[in-house]
């Protein structure tokens, strides 16, 4: 295998174009080996093999610097920069994260997992180079889907007017985001593709950028030629290349959305080899609820910032929703503000995405929604500690971030019935902005209230004494376990409370606890600092009540084992009972 001889980009430069094409085939075998066994981003990597080879053939990394947007298409880059063992040696898969990571290699400059950031980050590198008087090529690599993010457009505007030095932006146009692309940008990209870069209207040149088009984005020789044209350029230039997402695997070429990211799978059939069972899931429950709600209520509108599959809204569901669905592209800020406008005009908006991505819209939630108190419902997936575990995609900061915005009601359901009831109430009420966290644990069933107008009202599920266990959201089942263990090991029945509301306190219930309780335990699926438990600890600050908060540390955890993390944070049932005994 030729790839065996390549331990750095310098080794690549001695090979001919036909040999580079052989290397491309070998790289795809490495991709297959890793992805069939542990999963990961499939389509972005298979489609960008040839372009990565050409970039490293022409430029001189790490002196010349590459910044990959999202960096979920950087697997080939990793193989060519000394990390191929993470793809061919099953025992070493864990050595490579799914994104660029400066801790792994001098060829990586940022730990990136969110989108639309590469142009701004790379522009900063270029400005730093100029200030220090250095000479190097700075290359930002961005997929067409990421161009719909506001940060990408802002950085293009700055690059085209404020930078008068070497800066190369490679636009990897595979005609896809995760799902299909939405927005006027893509009409222009199509016109540029159809005209082979000669369209009269050109979005990039309008910003003041030079522009080159390469139709053969999966042809190494063509790519080498165009990259050689722009190497060492003295002004910002966009190289627009047309690639095929998922290239090299027929199933992925035909169904680009499903194969953006994959679970471990059988190569011959494409079928997943990991079985999560056919039981209920909040994921499936959510998509079904949304479709049925839309059929019954024509005032209901779903807004998603390019993440419809965050709640299982596939092509079939999106077609059913029709005019009651809008995809803003990768634009959380716009999605939230648009939803506020929808609510202001009397309709019922539901914004859906992953918690990690909603962070980008903090200002719009505060300014455009909460100050104006528009009845926007925001539904967040993957807010749990055992959801997405890559450092760039953690959802565990959401509770601390959003529960401290005035007027925002944050609901944490603890069962299927409570979840659906909260959705029904939130979407139909007209008084409050609401954020609902989709539970991250297995589906459980228990009767639930239908109305939540009485804000911040906790629910006492079990009356007891001495110790009160207040267990929030998907940690309620953990609270049940803890309460049962306290009864068994300590010989008394503790009080068990389902708070439901994370954004406020039920002061009446908390005051009642002072009569016959000495200790309050809080359990939450998020970081402790600024979180739900600390609000309760602060409430009891001047009293004799002991409070013990259980949650996660304010840390950027990365690729952790969720069960081990709970033990590290002292949150197993056994550890909590031992604390109760000691206290």
């Amino acid at each position: 295998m030729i790839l065996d001889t390549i331990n750095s980009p310098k080794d690549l430069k001695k090979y001919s174009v036909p040999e580079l094409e052989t290397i491309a085939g070998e790289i795809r075998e490495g991709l297959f080996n890793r992805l069939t066994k542990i999963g990961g981003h499939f389509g972005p990597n298979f489609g960008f093999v040839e372009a990565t080879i050409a970039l490293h053939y022409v430029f001189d990394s790490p002196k010349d610097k590459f910044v990959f947007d999202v960096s979920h298409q950087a697997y080939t880059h990793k193989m060519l920069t000394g990390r191929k063992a993470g793809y061919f040696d099953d025992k070493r898969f864990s050595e490579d994260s799914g994104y660029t990571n400066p801790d792994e290699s001098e060829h990586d400059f940022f730990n990136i997992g969110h989108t639309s950031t590469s142009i701004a980050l790379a522009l900063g590198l270029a400005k730093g180079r100029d200030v220090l008087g250095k000479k190097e090529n700075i290359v930002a690599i961005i997929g067409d889907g990421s161009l719909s993010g506001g940060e990408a457009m802002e950085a293009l505007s700055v690059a085209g007017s404020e930078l008068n030095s070497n800066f190369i932006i490679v636009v990897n146009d595979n005609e896809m985001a995760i799902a299909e692309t939405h927005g006027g940008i893509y009409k222009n990209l199509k016109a540029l593709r159809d005209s082979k870069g000669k369209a009269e209207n050109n979005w990039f040149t309008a910003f003041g950028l030079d522009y080159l088009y390469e139709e053969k984005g999966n042809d190494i020789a063509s790519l080498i030629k165009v990259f050689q044209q722009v190497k060492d350029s003295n002004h910002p230039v966009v190289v627009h290349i047309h690639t095929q997402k998922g290239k090299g695997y027929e199933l992925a070429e035909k169904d680009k959305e499903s194969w953006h990211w994959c679970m471990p799978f059988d190569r011959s059939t494409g079928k997943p080899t990991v079985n999560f069972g056919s039981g209920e899931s909040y994921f499936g429950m959510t998509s079904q609820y949304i479709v049925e709600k839309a059929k019954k209520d024509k005032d209901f509108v779903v807004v998603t910032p390019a993440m419809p599959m965050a709640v299982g809204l596939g092509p079939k569901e999106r077609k059913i929703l029709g005019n009651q669905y809008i995809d803003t592209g990768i634009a959380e800020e716009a999605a939230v503000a648009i939803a506020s406008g929808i609510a202001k005009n009397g309709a019922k908006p539901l914004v859906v995405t992953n918690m990690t991505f909603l962070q980008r819209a903090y200002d719009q939630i505060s300014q455009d929604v909460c100050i104006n108190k528009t009845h926007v419902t925001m539904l967040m997936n993957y807010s749990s500690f055992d959801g997405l575990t890559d450092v760039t995609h953690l959802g565990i900061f959401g509770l601390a971030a959003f529960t401290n915005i005035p007027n925002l009601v944050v609901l944490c359901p603890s069962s299927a019935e409570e979840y659906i009831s909260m959705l029904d109430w939130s979407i139909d009420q007209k008084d409050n902005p609401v954020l609902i966290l989709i539970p991250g644990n297995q589906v459980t069933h228990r009767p639930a209230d239908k109305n939540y107008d009485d804000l911040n009202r906790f629910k006492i599920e079990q009356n007891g004494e001495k110790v009160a266990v207040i267990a929030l959201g998907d940690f309620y089942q953990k609270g049940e376990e803890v309460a049962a263990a306290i009864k068994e090991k300590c010989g008394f029945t503790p009080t068990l409370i389902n708070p439901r509301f994370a954004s406020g306190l039920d002061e009446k219930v908390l005051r009642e606890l002072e009569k016959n309780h000495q200790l309050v335990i809080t359990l939450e699926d998020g970081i402790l600092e600024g979180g739900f438990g600390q609000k309760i600890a602060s409430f009891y600050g001047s009293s004799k009540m002991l409070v013990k908060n259980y949650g996660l540390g304010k840390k950027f955890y990365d690729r952790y084992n969720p069960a081990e993390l709970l033990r590290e944070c002292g949150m197993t049932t056994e550890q909590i009972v031992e604390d109760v005994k000691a206290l």
Side-chain angles (χ1 to χ4, degrees):
M1 190 168 73
I2 300 176
L3 194 57
D4 287 337
T5 68
I6 298 172
N7 297 304
S8 75
K10 291 180 181 179
D11 298 328
L12 195 66
K13 300 178 188 296
K14 62 187 177 186
Y15 290 106
S16 65
V17 169
E19 288 170 322
L20 295 178
E21 291 169 350
T22 299
I23 291 169
E26 294 172 353
I27 286 171
R28 284 195 170 88
E29 287 304 310
L31 294 176
F32 271 121
N33 185 60
R34 181 183 175 98
L35 293 169
T36 55
K37 292 169 181 172
I38 64 170
H41 284 96
F42 191 99
N45 284 290
F46 270 71
F48 206 64
V49 172
E50 287 81 8
T52 309
I53 291 172
L55 282 166
H56 276 296
Y57 186 85
V58 171
F59 295 98
D60 302 305
S61 178
K63 179 186 176 184
D64 294 333
K65 296 174 173 60
F66 300 146
V67 181
F68 293 84
D69 206 272
V70 189
S71 77
H72 63 333
Q73 77 287 66
Y75 293 5
T76 298
H77 163 75
K78 290 194 174 193
M79 285 193 225
L80 297 176
T81 53
R83 289 170 279 179
K84 55 184 178 288
Y87 299 83
F88 290 94
D89 187 342
D90 298 8
K91 295 178 181 178
R92 298 178 65 180
F93 286 157
S94 63
E95 293 180 10
D96 281 6
S97 73
Y99 307 94
T100 55
N101 188 336
D103 292 336
E104 291 177 4
S105 172
E106 64 177 346
H107 296 273
D108 295 359
F109 297 94
F110 298 99
N111 200 328
I112 304 170
H114 279 195
T115 188
S116 309
T117 67
S118 65
I119 301 175
L121 288 169
L123 195 154
L125 290 176
K127 187 64 177 178
R129 172 203 61 202
D130 296 346
V131 168
L132 296 175
K134 295 181 180 179
K135 297 291 182 183
E136 61 201 28
N137 289 276
I138 305 294
V139 184
I141 297 149
I142 188 166
D144 57 320
S146 295
L147 287 174
S148 62
E151 186 180 346
M153 289 188 275
E154 292 164 11
L156 282 171
S157 177
V158 175
S161 64
E162 305 301 319
L163 195 69
N164 298 301
S165 59
N166 172 277
F167 188 43
I168 300 159
I169 303 166
V170 176
V171 174
N172 174 28
D173 184 354
N174 57 33
E175 305 178 48
M176 288 288 293
I178 296 175
E180 71 280 355
T181 54
H182 290 268
I185 296 167
Y186 300 102
K187 293 179 181 179
N188 188 236
L189 285 180
K190 184 179 187 303
L192 289 168
R193 290 193 304 269
D194 292 347
S195 65
K196 302 297 184 286
K198 304 296 184 183
E200 182 179 355
N201 294 319
N202 185 314
W203 191 55
F204 302 105
T205 57
F207 276 121
L209 297 153
D210 198 357
Y211 174 86
L212 292 172
Y213 179 77
E214 177 50 60
E215 170 65 23
K216 298 178 181 178
N218 291 105
D219 180 74
I220 293 174
S222 300
L223 291 167
I224 288 174
K225 184 177 178 181
V226 74
F227 292 149
Q228 285 175 335
Q229 279 184 258
V230 298
K231 184 180 182 181
D232 299 325
S233 60
N234 61 3
H235 61 280
V237 57
V238 170
V239 180
H240 178 188
I241 65 174
H242 188 200
T243 63
Q244 183 175 19
K245 191 171 186 177
K247 182 175 176 58
Y249 190 52
E250 187 177 1
L251 292 172
E253 293 174 359
K254 290 180 177 178
D255 186 0
K256 296 179 177 66
E257 181 174 346
S258 297
W259 283 91
H260 175 80
W261 187 91
C262 68
M263 296 296 293
F265 67 96
D266 179 87
R267 182 173 175 175
S268 61
T269 65
K271 301 292 184 184
T273 54
V274 177
N275 183 11
F276 288 105
S278 57
E280 286 183 295
S281 71
Y282 287 107
F283 186 78
M285 188 186 304
T286 303
S287 60
Q288 182 179 356
Y289 172 87
I290 288 173
V291 169
E292 292 303 314
K293 178 68 174 174
K295 289 177 181 177
K296 292 183 290 186
D297 189 344
K298 296 305 177 185
D299 294 339
F300 176 62
V301 183
V302 179
V303 184
T304 181
M307 286 294 296
M309 285 304 290
V311 291
L313 296 177
K316 177 184 174 184
E317 289 78 15
R318 300 198 293 269
K319 186 175 182 181
I320 293 171
L321 290 172
N323 194 46
Q324 291 173 267
Y325 171 79
I326 180 171
D327 188 327
T328 64
I330 299 172
E332 287 79 9
E333 300 95 326
V336 168
I338 288 167
S340 187
I342 291 170
K344 191 71 173 181
N345 222 11
K348 304 173 181 179
L350 174 69
V351 178
V352 296
T353 189
N354 291 348
M355 177 62 86
T356 182
F357 302 134
L358 192 70
Q359 294 167 172
R360 291 194 285 256
Y362 187 95
D363 187 58
Q364 284 67 37
I365 293 171
S366 178
Q367 295 287 316
D368 299 329
V369 174
C370 291
I371 286 178
N372 291 280
K373 216 174 181 185
T374 48
H375 57 275
V376 174
T377 300
M378 292 165 281
L379 183 60
M380 295 299 108
N381 203 2
Y382 295 113
S383 61
S384 176
F385 81 104
D386 61 354
L388 302 174
T389 61
D390 284 289
V391 67
T392 52
H393 284 67
L394 302 177
I396 59 174
F397 307 111
L399 276 174
F402 297 114
T403 56
N404 291 302
I405 297 178
N407 294 337
L408 181 62
V409 177
V410 180
L411 293 173
C412 296
S414 62
S415 69
E417 289 77 13
E418 204 164 59
Y419 175 47
I420 297 302
S421 294
M422 287 176 173
L423 272 172
D424 272 334
W425 170 80
S426 177
I427 291 167
D428 290 336
Q429 58 85 36
K430 297 291 181 73
D431 298 320
N432 302 285
V434 180
L435 179 71
I436 302 175
L437 274 58
I438 299 176
N441 56 351
Q442 291 183 334
V443 175
T444 58
H445 293 279
R446 201 174 68 258
D449 293 342
K450 297 293 185 183
N451 187 290
Y452 298 88
D453 287 339
D454 191 2
L455 299 181
N456 304 324
R457 183 64 59 223
F458 292 1
K459 189 171 185 178
I460 300 175
E461 304 278 5
Q462 172 182 290
N463 278 298
E465 59 176 341
K466 297 183 180 179
V467 175
V469 179
I470 305 179
L472 182 68
D474 57 17
F475 269 23
Y476 177 75
Q477 282 69 42
K478 176 169 282 297
E480 288 182 314
E481 289 180 14
V482 169
I486 289 173
K487 183 176 182 179
E488 179 187 349
K489 304 291 185 183
C490 302
F492 63 88
T493 299
T495 295
L496 177 61
I497 297 173
N498 170 18
R500 309 183 299 180
F501 296 87
S503 46
L505 301 182
D506 188 335
E507 296 190 5
K508 182 179 178 181
V509 166
L510 296 179
R511 285 291 175 220
E512 282 293 314
L513 293 178
E514 289 182 312
K515 294 178 181 178
N516 63 339
H517 293 74
Q518 291 80 51
L519 171 65
V520 169
I521 289 171
T522 66
L523 300 169
E524 63 192 293
D525 194 355
I527 66 168
L528 286 173
E529 292 196 35
F532 172 73
Q534 285 195 349
K535 293 176 175 62
I536 291 178
S538 179
F539 174 84
Y540 284 123
S542 60
S543 74
K544 295 179 180 180
M545 183 73 78
L546 294 174
V547 180
K548 177 67 173 173
N549 300 138
Y550 291 93
L552 308 176
K554 191 176 77 173
K555 296 179 182 178
F556 283 121
Y557 301 102
D558 189 20
R559 292 174 288 156
Y560 55 85
N561 178 294
E564 290 177 3
L565 180 61
L566 285 188
R567 183 167 293 280
E568 176 188 326
C569 294
M571 294 177 67
T572 67
T573 299
E574 295 79 10
Q575 289 171 313
I576 294 172
V577 171
E578 287 304 311
D579 288 345
V580 170
K581 289 178 180 178
L583 288 167

